[in-house]
Amino acid sequence: MRLPLSTYRLQIRESFDLNDAGVVTDYVTSLGADWLYLSPLLVAEPGSDHGYDVIDHSQIDPVRGGARGLAKLADVARSAGRGILVDIVPNHMGVATPSANAWWWDLLTHGQSSRYAGAFDVDWVAARGKLRIPVLGDGDTELDALELVDGQLRYYDNAFPLAPGTADDGADARTVHDRQNYELVNWRRADADLNYRRFFAVNSLAGIRVEVPWVFAESHAEIVRWVREGLVDGIRVDHPDGLADPGGYLDALQAATGGTYVLVEKILEGKEQLPPSWAAAGTTGYDALGDIDRVLVDPAGKLALDALEGRLQGTPADIDAVWPELIYESKRHIADGILRSEVLRLARLIPEVPGADDALAELLAAFPVYRSYLPFGAEHLHYAARTAAARRPDLASRVDALVSVLADPEHPAAVRFQQTSGMVMAKGVEDTAFYRFSRLTSLNEVGAEPGEFSIDVGEFHTRQQHRQAVLPASMTTLSTHDTKRGEDVRARISVLAEIPAEWETVLDELRSIAPLDDGPFEKLLWEAVIGSWPITRERLDAYAEKAAREAGTSTTWTKPNEAFEEKMHALVAAVFDDERVNAIVTGFVERVARAGWSNSLSAKLVQLTAPGVPDVYQGSELWETSLVDPDNRRQVDFGIRRDYLARVDRGWLPEVDQTGAAKLLVTSRALRLRRDKPEWFSRYLPVPAYGSAADHVVAFDRGDTVTVATRLPLGLEAAGGWGDTTLELAGRPWLDALTGERYPGGTVRLEELLRQYPVALLVADDFDDHRAMGD
């Protein structure tokens, strides 16, 4: 099995297809990345910019370059010595346009007699043998809008098939509708009455039963071909937690491909570990992201930020207790709301427990991780049972009865509960609680735990040594297509922990000028402004609307509060048009920007040189100031990146300023070393610092390289700089791969080492070959 040394993620779409990826392969190679990492390639919904709504597993999307595009890219990549990692989507298919998805169209046409009835996860009994499609608008006369057109049933722009023989007698459209294998229902009924499994709560993404052998074979034949023919070297599996049997799926994938490098998009909570039976090299790196962010957060700011959050939430200042309660409330709200249909389906599988739905929702709300993989992780079910019974003693007997069923790996309810718990977690925490909790929003990131405020350097080292020992080929990342805030937005927001009193004063002033009467959301929004500045009005407006509706405290997706949203958009306008607001924002950004850039360079260098396979999300070798999707999938200007890379290779040492070229320098030097000198990264040893500013450095030895990074830069500045702080290195000559400066080894003064940049990448200077550094 070939393993990547690093990856570079590219979003493949109509506006940047596989042919375009081939054009930038030389740049990716020059940057130092080892493999190209591609977003989903199979045919997706028309107009899809992300590719996760696959409608045809049999071919590469022509608008993404088609089979010829991948073959050509593979040739280009091989010639350059690059590998290719591709994202795949086994859990669901796009069904927004039924006629575009042959499997779904056949299912709607023939119902339970369709060959594809076994492919989709439908509870036919729940709707009297029909498949409910939540598409109708509000009102009692929506079915009057149905029409029969060209042998199809039409509802405005929506087209559905007709079962054979159901429209032969000249019946009207409503009568014909009643004869179909599907039932068009009001869109609001999806919450409680839907009878097909979805991806989370997205009605247009229908879950498929990849655990069925023929479904796996037909949905993976093209993917397996890529691997077998040497076009692709590795696979990234999207959302394995949605599958009935993730471990079995991974075994089947390895068997079909003859064994290949596989990563899983798996979110690990706290000390949770990847199931050891999984045939996967690791995760896509959210766990590493959380560690890196937290070692750069000042623990001294916690009490003040707790108090501020408590004031805005109207709760006690013990925010460590508030966050778990918020998680519970958000998850229970989801289980009783947009995912109630899943809870009711679970309850139908356990008829022997009357009133099971309430107890199931309580168990789901109390479940501490995304899911179990029985028998692995059974302790999480028992923890949830104890927690649920303690919170709701009236449900204790029902919870006990349910646990005996849900702990049985063979019981259909246990399988479905495991699939459902991840949905409730994702929608309740990432897509709700993360928008309601604003203590320090750089911590509200996918796969991270906002309740963990910071970690010290010792804990950081311990976690990296564990990664080196257990999953050395697991991916690490700082930004993805799923992150709520780009890495450099988070890096700047984290500076607020160093000056919480200053931030509170600025926030209060901004709120007094442009109030929304929703303190936590206002804080979240203003932190997004500070973190992403400069940002366009259009991007900020779109973010504000999405964030507010996800939070659901003052407005929602289904019932927008027009008065609140009008004030919110006025707030966004004030950022650009009100001289007072603009002056406050730009003034405070000036206060924290340089410290944020320091955090950015530190995070980047640490991520690229720490254990694991580092991924660089497209374009993030310069400042990555995107917000939540689709903002983080914007087009990348590779021209300016080529120019900057050529200039730094000619000896340019850019200042740490708004161009981001210093970050590109750090990225290219680290990636080249990881790719061209992998033997220099053979171990992980903490390198302690000594002196008055020792707490402000993160340093580690990877064998023949040493990473040195600054943390808490404002505190360092306030203390007067590095002063007498030193590192003790091996007594051999060292070269800083970033600046070209040489050091004799032994005692090194940080004041001298970090004179140019807040980071240093030292390589042993007793080797003859330094080509990896651009020499």
Side-chain angles (χ1 to χ4, degrees):
M1 180 190 303
R2 182 181 177 188
L3 300 178
L5 298 166
S6 62
T7 61
Y8 189 95
R9 168 80 176 205
L10 292 170
Q11 294 295 116
I12 305 300
R13 47 193 160 186
E14 184 172 6
S15 59
F16 186 90
D17 65 12
L18 291 164
N19 298 297
D20 295 312
V23 171
V24 302
T25 297
D26 64 329
Y27 164 75
V28 173
T29 298
S30 295
L31 187 68
D34 189 22
W35 284 20
L36 301 171
Y37 169 19
L38 310 180
S39 60
L41 301 179
L42 296 174
V43 180
E45 280 280 353
S48 172
D49 214 30
H50 49 74
Y52 289 94
D53 41 6
V54 174
I55 60 173
D56 181 358
H57 293 104
S58 69
Q59 61 177 318
I60 298 174
D61 202 329
V63 303
R64 288 176 165 77
R68 291 185 62 184
L70 180 59
K72 183 178 178 181
L73 175 61
D75 286 343
V76 172
R78 295 290 174 273
S79 297
R82 307 283 67 78
I84 296 178
L85 174 72
V86 176
D87 201 341
I88 66 169
V89 190
N91 176 68
H92 53 266
M93 293 186 77
V95 296
T97 310
S99 61
N101 186 327
W103 288 22
W104 188 250
W105 189 260
D106 193 85
L107 179 72
L108 298 183
T109 302
H110 300 289
Q112 295 180 71
S113 64
S114 168
R115 177 175 185 262
Y116 299 101
F120 292 97
D121 199 347
V122 182
D123 183 358
W124 296 100
V125 175
R128 304 178 304 282
K130 292 180 180 285
L131 175 65
R132 288 191 180 126
I133 302 177
V135 70
L136 299 181
D138 294 329
D140 298 328
T141 62
E142 287 299 302
L143 287 175
D144 292 338
L146 294 177
E147 296 179 286
L148 294 172
V149 180
D150 296 331
Q152 298 176 349
L153 187 65
R154 297 286 180 88
Y155 175 71
Y156 297 108
D157 293 333
N158 300 280
F160 304 95
L162 299 179
T166 58
D168 294 344
D169 59 1
D172 63 26
R174 289 192 64 157
T175 301
V176 171
H177 166 259
D178 293 340
R179 298 170 177 173
Q180 300 312 309
N181 294 299
Y182 53 85
E183 178 188 7
L184 306 184
V185 300
N186 181 270
W187 67 277
R188 297 183 189 275
R189 291 182 61 186
D191 289 1
D193 296 337
L194 207 67
N195 65 328
Y196 64 90
R197 180 173 61 86
R198 302 164 289 175
F199 170 71
F200 298 157
V202 183
N203 298 336
S204 60
L205 295 175
I208 61 172
R209 301 179 63 230
V210 76
E211 67 274 14
V212 177
W214 76 260
V215 176
F216 175 89
E218 293 191 18
S219 63
H220 286 68
E222 174 69 359
I223 294 165
V224 170
R225 179 184 73 83
W226 302 342
V227 178
R228 292 287 191 176
E229 294 183 5
L231 301 172
V232 165
D233 304 280
I235 294 172
R236 181 260 199 195
V237 177
D238 181 69
H239 188 49
D241 280 350
L243 306 180
D245 180 12
Y249 167 78
L250 292 170
D251 287 340
L253 185 63
Q254 289 289 3
T257 59
T260 193
Y261 178 71
V262 171
L263 293 172
V264 289
E265 186 213 16
K266 170 62 186 168
I267 292 174
L268 301 170
E269 294 288 322
K271 295 183 179 180
E272 183 187 10
Q273 299 295 309
L274 203 65
S277 62
W278 279 16
T283 74
T284 50
Y286 298 132
D287 40 350
L289 178 157
D291 293 344
I292 294 167
D293 281 355
R294 277 154 184 75
V295 78
L296 301 178
V297 170
D298 189 351
K302 182 177 183 298
L303 290 179
L305 290 177
D306 279 357
L308 175 56
E309 182 71 4
R311 173 164 71 86
L312 297 176
Q313 295 273 6
T315 60
D318 183 10
I319 300 302
D320 290 335
V322 170
W323 172 242
E325 189 66 19
L326 180 58
I327 289 178
Y328 164 77
E329 292 173 356
S330 298
K331 291 176 68 177
R332 182 68 209 228
H333 174 72
I334 293 297
D336 291 338
I338 61 175
L339 290 178
R340 180 155 175 76
S341 61
E342 293 293 336
V343 175
L344 293 176
R345 186 169 179 183
L346 269 170
R348 290 193 293 271
L349 293 172
I350 318 175
E352 66 270 25
V353 182
D357 58 318
D358 193 7
L360 284 164
E362 199 66 25
L363 281 169
L364 290 165
F367 212 76
V369 296
Y370 271 69
R371 62 166 287 173
S372 57
Y373 311 89
L374 295 175
F376 185 81
E379 68 275 11
H380 301 308
L381 175 62
H382 296 295
Y383 170 87
R386 293 191 301 271
T387 303
R391 183 182 289 273
R392 291 284 304 278
D394 59 309
L395 295 178
S397 61
R398 275 178 275 178
V399 167
D400 287 345
L402 288 173
V403 167
S404 64
V405 174
L406 300 179
D408 176 4
E410 303 303 318
H411 198 289
V415 175
R416 183 159 297 279
F417 184 88
Q418 291 177 93
Q419 292 175 280
T420 305
S421 62
M423 298 185 197
V424 174
M425 176 73 88
K427 295 305 297 180
V429 180
E430 289 178 29
D431 291 344
T432 304
F434 274 15
Y435 290 95
R436 295 181 177 181
F437 187 70
S438 62
R439 175 171 64 180
L440 188 66
T441 58
S442 58
L443 305 180
N444 297 13
E445 196 46 84
V446 178
E449 171 51 65
E452 182 176 56
F453 187 79
S454 64
I455 60 175
D456 62 26
V457 176
E459 175 63 19
F460 177 80
H461 288 318
T462 297
R463 295 183 185 185
Q464 303 320 301
Q465 289 175 316
H466 178 81
R467 181 183 303 278
Q468 174 77 0
V470 176
L471 291 172
S474 188
M475 183 176 278
T476 70
T477 191
L478 290 179
S479 294
T480 76
H481 62 283
D482 278 333
T483 41
K484 306 294 186 184
R485 297 161 189 82
E487 59 201 59
D488 300 316
V489 177
R490 301 196 310 274
R492 187 182 292 175
I493 291 173
S494 290
V495 176
L496 305 182
E498 295 198 69
I499 50 171
E502 288 184 46
W503 170 230
E504 184 170 6
T505 298
V506 168
L507 178 65
D508 286 346
E509 190 173 359
L510 289 168
R511 292 185 67 213
S512 70
I513 299 173
L516 287 182
D517 301 320
D518 184 341
F521 175 71
E522 290 173 69
K523 185 168 182 286
L524 179 142
L525 181 54
W526 284 117
E527 288 190 5
V529 173
I530 297 300
S532 63
W533 194 262
I535 186 173
T536 67
R537 185 191 307 255
E538 293 74 22
R539 290 175 57 210
L540 187 57
D541 240 344
Y543 172 77
E545 182 175 283
K546 179 170 183 174
R549 292 179 179 180
E550 294 281 37
T553 49
S554 295
T555 187
T556 66
W557 289 107
T558 56
K559 293 183 179 179
N561 182 331
E562 293 183 8
F564 175 83
E565 293 194 5
E566 183 178 349
K567 290 177 64 177
M568 179 183 70
H569 291 302
L571 181 155
V572 171
V575 174
F576 302 91
D577 301 335
D578 187 313
E579 292 183 359
R580 297 170 301 166
V581 174
N582 187 265
I584 295 169
V585 167
T586 55
F588 192 69
V589 167
E590 185 176 351
R591 167 75 169 116
V592 299
R594 193 166 186 85
W597 292 330
S598 175
N599 282 345
S600 293
L601 296 182
S602 291
K604 201 65 173 178
L605 183 60
V606 167
Q607 182 241 338
L608 295 176
T609 58
V613 176
D615 175 57
V616 175
Y617 185 67
Q618 59 174 28
S620 65
E621 61 270 31
L622 297 184
W623 301 135
E624 172 50 83
T625 58
S626 63
L627 296 171
V628 72
D629 68 282
D631 191 56
N632 55 22
R633 292 196 298 268
R634 287 174 294 137
Q635 293 285 352
V636 174
D637 183 346
F638 285 102
I640 194 169
R641 287 162 175 78
R642 286 181 185 275
D643 176 57
Y644 285 169
L645 183 59
R647 291 171 64 186
V648 298
D649 281 347
R650 291 196 297 268
W652 179 37
L653 293 181
E655 295 294 324
V656 181
D657 58 16
Q658 291 184 348
T659 69
K663 190 182 180 192
L664 184 142
L665 169 66
V666 168
T667 303
S668 63
R669 298 308 183 249
L671 283 178
R672 291 174 183 177
L673 283 173
R674 289 298 298 259
R675 185 189 67 196
D676 300 340
K677 297 294 181 182
E679 69 275 13
W680 292 5
F681 295 83
S682 58
R683 66 183 185 184
Y684 186 96
L685 289 175
V687 175
Y690 303 95
S692 57
D695 288 342
H696 291 275
V697 65
V698 181
F700 49 84
D701 180 335
R702 296 302 318 276
D704 292 304
T705 66
V706 174
T707 292
V708 184
T710 300
R711 63 189 295 263
L712 317 184
L714 288 184
L716 177 65
E717 179 183 352
W722 291 110
D724 62 350
T725 310
T726 61
L727 295 177
E728 292 294 324
L729 303 178
R732 58 196 299 193
W734 296 89
L735 172 72
D736 184 353
L738 305 180
T739 65
E741 294 288 335
R742 286 178 161 80
Y743 302 91
T747 301
V748 177
R749 294 177 58 87
L750 287 174
E751 190 172 54
E752 179 182 357
L753 179 64
L754 303 181
R755 181 174 60 249
Q756 178 79 26
Y757 296 118
V759 294
L761 178 56
L762 300 176
V763 298
D765 198 24
D766 45 8
F767 295 104
D768 293 330
D769 187 358
H770 291 117
R771 288 176 295 175
M773 295 169 288
D775 286 9

